[in-house]
Amino acid sequence: MKNVLLLLFLTSIVDAAQNEDKKLTLKKILQPITIDGNIDEAWSLADSATDFFQTQPYYGKEPTKRTVGKVLTTEEAIYGLIVCYDDKSNIQTNTGKLDDFGGDVVSLMIDTFGDKRTAYKFAVTASGVRADCRLLDDARNRDYSWDGVWFSAAKVYDWGFVVEMEIPYRSIQYDENLESWGIDFDRWIPWAKEDLYWCTYEESEGQRISKFGTLKFDEFRPSIHGMNLEIYPVAISKATYLRESVYKGEPNAGIDIFYNPSQSLTFQLTANPDFAQIEADPFSFNISRYETYFEERRPFFTQGNEVFMPSGRERNTGFYRPLELFYSRRIGKKLEDGSEVPLEVGTKAFGRIQDWEYGGFLAMTGERDFFVDGVKGHEPRAYFGSVRLKRQVLDNSSVGFLFVGKQTATDNNGVLDIDGAFRSSDWQLSYQLARSFKNSDGDYAGSTGFVMFSEDLFAGVRGRYVGSNFDINEVGFVPWRGTAELTAIGGPRWYYKEGYIKAILLYIGGILNHEKVDAFTDRLGVLGFNMQLRDNWGYEITFLGGRSKDLDKEFGSYEIDVSSWFNPSPKWNGNIYGGYQKTYNFSRNYLAFYSWLGSYFSWHALDMMDLGTSFNAFVEGNPDNKIEDITYNARPFVSLTPVNDLNMRVYFDNVYVRSTKRIERIIAGLLFSYSFLPKSWIYLAVNEIQDRRLEHDTFGNVLLERMHTTARAGVFKLKYLYYF
């Protein structure tokens, strides 16, 4: 054990030393910088970051164009300047909206706690579009829900463009006792497909916070103490379709509050929220015995959710995913008749003290009656709670504790968890152990994962065990009760510094998957090939084969998966994927082949307009090896952004079934959103669902199946920030 700890310690020292020559001194000025894209004389006082490093498309090659980064400070804010040299004709100045932009873009990233694991990222395009996020787990993950109050401007010149940023200290959290922060700059040049960083990173690992440069304080420490209070009154006007020509009007109001009483605590409260600006979930086709997972997109739950995430989630490879013990979509969930349980009030508190991070969550949902096939059901009032503690250990690793629970008048359901991760820049070992409770019943579950991605080798091992009585269906997403799974794959990787081919990965391995309900362990072999090319195109092919068993039927199982992704120019991007397998179809209760083909395309048609669509075809076979049915799903959209931060998006989600030769469902949506001030919004949302579900006339007679409106709503919402 001592040898293992010594190895971890020495690895962290080597990682940290890679950019020890990347140092800037943060110098203080008396007057604020005017944020307008003009280079004020005060910037001549700042140290310059000039020797940028190319990571894409030719790792380590001299950058095509010169870039300069600088920082200054006043008592109130830190300022960033990034000067980008280029021919004016090359610079792409697309209009856009927050968190959805294209064109030339630069970023400033700062590790304000010096923990080498987390950092703020502030990005601005050449046209002035802003976006921000939190970098997590040594930059292995991103939290795009974080939304800070900061200011920026961009200006294009004949010789390039300039971006200026102002980040008030009261908008971020930091350790007042530090003598320096971690820092890095990033620049993306679309026409050259070139990604530049100030700091140097290994080609195989990508950016790492643990290898940031140093921003040293010069007789100055940020120490702003204000109310740090954000209040968002919300006005809502909603019209809901009841029946032909009959609508129900619902004027309403709500409030959101963010409060940072100290650099170590953030408090968040929402009362009577409305999530009408969220698009309907995409269509999901599922023939497995387990329910479908949908991402959380409601703002209250996504903001600050990284505190409650278990350690070890891998964004880059996606190989290891810990058990989802806190699945916020269980709160205010949809019922069987399509109605939603109302969220009446919710609050969060999270922060950090030295090496500790902590978080707490409370929510109350209201009662709701619902009807399924004429039978009345009732969802009782419920209280949800969660507590999270996490401690940094061994410089860049962590260990944590999580509690999640739900209580009603009759039931008590929840889970306790211990999790953590040991990590270096190119590998991570994660673990998780959980115990569920449902009234007096309970069981254990756990997962573990090891991922290593080096210049010439990839290796991954992951395992998962879920006890038969591990039931957290009211608070989490772990539907695989009574199962155990072990996957191990690995193989060589070749990276080419020159030429059309960028990298090749060949991997081989095996999968063991035991399901207690079948009293059998599936045994599969895996063989895969991945190639990435320098024109932002690549593809992957994976073969699986072995023995499986479902519902007393043992069979030879096989599967082929193919995917390809491409981004040949800043105006086009997309991916195509498909597969073919022999498997058990639980929706039809027989063994047969199953195949799928899907794609996504997006085209930046004009500076202010994006067009795109997803398309999927799901082919179900039958025991006679013939096609039983095909289900088609398309989701085209049009997005218009005439000016920055103002967007109108229209989309249609339709489902066509070959056997009925007709469209079975259509979802149409329109969303107008305008951020007229930082974190202040106007929304107008209209959504409609049409399908062929059972309907009756005024006399109770069943009508012939027809497309008819089953839900329609229009919402106007105004959200305004008061910032103290």
Side-chain angles (χ1 to χ4, degrees):
M1 183 64 182
K2 290 182 179 179
N3 291 334
V4 173
L5 295 177
L6 179 61
L7 176 61
L8 292 171
F9 178 71
L10 292 176
T11 302
S12 67
I13 293 176
V14 172
D15 290 343
Q18 182 164 341
N19 288 299
E20 62 180 7
D21 61 325
K22 303 285 186 175
K23 296 180 180 179
L24 299 176
T25 298
L26 182 62
K27 297 179 180 179
K28 182 181 175 183
I29 55 177
L30 299 178
Q31 297 298 322
I33 298 286
T34 301
I35 304 300
D36 55 8
N38 296 312
I39 304 177
D40 297 350
E41 184 178 348
W43 284 115
S44 63
L45 302 175
D47 288 352
S48 297
T50 56
D51 48 341
F52 277 64
F53 185 86
Q54 182 179 160
T55 60
Q56 305 287 348
Y58 296 100
Y59 177 80
K61 192 174 182 179
E62 189 73 17
T64 304
K65 299 296 180 181
R66 185 168 180 259
T67 309
V68 179
K70 296 187 176 190
V71 287
L72 286 171
T73 187
T74 62
E75 288 284 349
E76 302 290 332
I78 185 171
Y79 294 85
L81 171 74
I82 305 179
V83 181
C84 303
Y85 293 90
D86 205 340
D87 298 332
K88 186 176 182 180
S89 58
N90 289 333
I91 301 170
Q92 298 181 28
T93 55
N94 306 330
T95 56
K97 61 187 178 72
L98 281 170
D99 302 328
D100 184 18
F101 54 77
D104 287 74
V105 60
V106 296
S107 304
L108 168 63
M109 292 148 286
I110 46 177
D111 172 9
T112 59
F113 283 94
D115 61 11
K116 301 181 181 180
R117 292 184 299 112
T118 60
Y120 292 99
K121 178 174 182 176
F122 304 91
V124 184
T125 70
S127 61
V129 184
R130 299 182 309 116
D132 51 32
C133 73
R134 290 273 291 156
L135 306 181
L136 310 171
D137 297 331
D138 204 6
R140 286 175 169 85
N141 289 296
R142 306 284 191 271
D143 174 23
Y144 292 102
S145 68
W146 185 80
D147 187 11
V149 178
W150 57 287
F151 310 93
S152 66
K155 188 172 182 179
V156 177
Y157 298 86
D158 291 337
W159 47 264
F161 70 95
V162 171
V163 166
E164 287 186 303
M165 307 178 191
E166 177 187 353
I167 305 164
Y169 285 117
R170 63 178 180 171
S171 296
I172 59 176
Q173 292 184 311
Y174 53 87
D175 185 343
E176 299 179 22
N177 299 316
L178 294 180
E179 296 181 353
S180 63
W181 289 351
I183 186 171
D184 196 9
F185 300 90
D186 181 21
R187 178 185 179 186
W188 168 249
I189 307 175
W191 69 267
K193 300 181 177 65
E194 198 166 287
D195 197 10
L196 309 177
Y197 289 92
W198 180 48
C199 295
T200 302
Y201 305 103
E202 296 298 327
E203 179 276 327
S204 58
E205 69 191 25
Q207 186 184 35
R208 289 288 180 259
I209 300 170
S210 56
K211 295 183 178 180
F212 272 15
T214 301
L215 178 63
K216 184 175 178 57
F217 301 143
D218 181 20
E219 300 180 0
F220 169 78
R221 301 285 190 279
S223 58
I224 289 298
H225 296 285
M227 291 187 65
N228 302 316
L229 176 64
E230 301 176 17
I231 300 177
Y232 306 85
V234 180
I236 306 165
S237 179
K238 185 174 183 179
T240 305
Y241 174 85
L242 298 179
R243 57 185 182 276
E244 195 69 34
S245 302
V246 179
Y247 292 83
K248 178 184 178 182
E250 299 176 88
N252 213 330
I255 191 168
D256 294 325
I257 297 174
F258 287 83
Y259 179 41
N260 293 334
S262 73
Q263 295 300 330
S264 60
L265 174 63
T266 296
F267 174 79
Q268 182 179 354
L269 171 73
T270 188
N272 195 31
D274 185 276
F275 306 112
Q277 72 269 25
I278 305 302
E279 285 188 6
D281 290 318
F283 173 75
S284 176
F285 193 83
N286 187 352
I287 64 168
S288 77
R289 59 170 28 132
Y290 304 113
E291 68 172 302
T292 300
Y293 179 86
F294 291 102
E295 294 287 343
E296 177 63 86
R297 293 181 293 173
R298 296 173 294 177
F300 173 73
F301 295 104
T302 59
Q303 292 168 349
N305 66 342
E306 78 277 3
V307 177
F308 302 94
M309 289 169 47
S311 301
R313 193 179 298 266
E314 278 275 351
R315 180 184 64 92
N316 293 332
T317 65
F319 179 75
Y320 171 69
R321 288 181 62 90
L323 299 173
E324 192 98 5
L325 304 180
F326 182 21
Y327 184 40
S328 58
R329 290 192 63 131
R330 304 297 192 199
I331 305 172
K333 64 184 180 181
K334 284 191 176 182
L335 300 172
E336 296 175 69
D337 65 350
S339 62
E340 293 184 358
V341 178
L343 172 64
E344 296 183 350
V345 65
T347 183
K348 289 181 186 178
F350 48 90
R352 59 196 304 160
I353 300 176
Q354 296 180 346
D355 291 335
W356 289 91
E357 294 180 56
Y358 61 89
F361 173 88
L362 290 172
M364 181 178 70
T365 57
E367 299 179 88
R368 176 75 77 188
D369 293 329
F370 60 96
F371 293 86
V372 179
D373 297 329
V375 179
K376 182 179 179 180
H378 179 72
E379 182 72 18
R381 179 179 300 278
Y383 301 89
F384 295 83
S386 180
V387 175
R388 174 66 164 166
L389 291 173
K390 186 163 62 173
R391 190 180 193 278
Q392 182 176 346
V393 297
L394 296 174
D395 195 38
N396 195 21
S397 302
S398 61
V399 60
F401 163 83
L402 175 69
F403 161 79
V404 187
K406 174 186 177 182
Q407 184 157 1
T408 67
T410 57
D411 291 306
N412 187 21
N413 183 216
V415 64
L416 296 167
D417 155 86
I418 295 176
D419 61 84
F422 297 102
R423 60 176 66 92
S424 179
S425 60
D426 61 355
W427 60 264
Q428 179 173 261
L429 173 63
S430 310
Y431 61 90
Q432 182 182 38
L433 177 64
R435 167 75 179 183
S436 70
F437 60 89
K438 188 170 186 179
N439 297 326
S440 60
D441 297 326
D443 209 340
Y444 290 94
S447 69
T448 187
F450 173 80
V451 177
M452 183 182 70
F453 208 94
S454 67
E455 183 177 350
D456 53 9
L457 180 67
F458 167 74
V461 180
R462 69 185 181 202
R464 182 182 71 201
Y465 167 80
V466 182
S468 300
N469 295 319
F470 189 83
D471 183 0
I472 60 168
N473 193 51
E474 295 297 317
V475 296
F477 185 88
V478 185
W480 316 283
R481 286 189 284 171
T483 67
E485 178 258 344
L486 177 65
T487 299
I489 60 174
R493 178 179 183 265
W494 297 272
Y495 178 79
Y496 303 94
K497 293 185 177 181
E498 302 288 343
Y500 183 58
I501 298 176
K502 177 181 171 184
I504 294 176
L505 173 65
L506 179 66
Y507 54 91
I508 188 171
I511 301 174
L512 299 176
N513 185 27
H514 180 80
E515 293 181 287
K516 186 177 180 180
V517 66
D518 297 315
F520 188 82
T521 300
D522 297 346
R523 303 176 296 275
L524 300 172
V526 181
L527 177 64
F529 179 82
N530 179 295
M531 177 180 286
Q532 298 183 50
L533 307 176
R534 280 204 159 81
D535 60 356
N536 285 354
W537 179 67
Y539 65 92
E540 183 170 14
I541 304 174
T542 306
F543 302 90
L544 299 92
R547 300 295 295 176
S548 298
K549 183 179 180 181
D550 284 306
L551 296 184
D552 297 325
K553 292 187 178 182
E554 185 178 341
F555 57 95
S557 174
Y558 54 85
E559 180 177 342
I560 302 174
D561 297 297
V562 181
S563 63
S564 179
W565 53 93
F566 53 90
N567 183 18
S569 81
K571 291 184 175 294
W572 288 92
N573 76 84
N575 64 297
I576 301 173
Y577 49 89
Y580 182 91
Q581 68 176 153
K582 183 178 181 181
T583 188
Y584 199 89
N585 188 327
F586 284 89
S587 66
R588 298 184 183 273
N589 289 319
Y590 56 61
L591 179 68
F593 76 85
Y594 171 60
S595 184
W596 62 96
L597 178 66
S599 63
Y600 173 83
F601 297 94
S602 178
W603 176 37
H604 191 69
L606 301 170
D607 282 349
M608 61 176 288
M609 182 171 70
D610 290 304
L611 305 174
T613 187
S614 62
F615 176 81
N616 293 279
F618 307 96
V619 183
E620 297 175 274
N622 60 32
D624 296 326
N625 210 33
K626 296 181 180 180
I627 294 177
E628 180 69 23
D629 210 345
I630 305 177
T631 302
Y632 301 92
N633 172 239
R635 193 180 178 99
F637 70 88
V638 178
S639 179
L640 298 173
T641 313
V643 298
N644 290 345
D645 302 333
L646 186 154
N647 177 257
M648 184 174 70
R649 179 180 172 90
V650 179
Y651 73 96
F652 299 89
D653 190 309
N654 55 85
V655 178
Y656 178 88
V657 179
R658 190 186 74 161
S659 60
T660 63
K661 298 181 180 179
R662 64 190 185 188
I663 293 176
E664 296 292 338
R665 192 194 76 175
I666 295 177
I667 298 178
L670 178 149
L671 174 63
F672 171 88
S673 57
Y674 177 42
S675 178
F676 56 94
L677 288 172
K679 302 179 77 169
S680 297
W681 292 86
I682 294 175
Y683 296 104
L684 174 62
V686 179
N687 290 286
E688 177 166 325
I689 301 176
Q690 294 188 5
D691 60 26
R692 299 181 187 275
R693 74 179 64 176
L694 193 66
E695 61 174 334
H696 301 80
D697 62 17
T698 54
F699 300 102
N701 300 314
V702 177
L703 299 175
L704 296 175
E705 288 188 37
R706 61 168 187 163
M707 289 291 291
H708 62 283
T709 300
T710 56
R712 180 187 295 157
V715 176
F716 175 82
K717 184 174 178 178
L718 175 63
K719 181 177 180 179
Y720 186 80
L721 167 64
Y722 290 95
Y723 186 44
F724 303 95

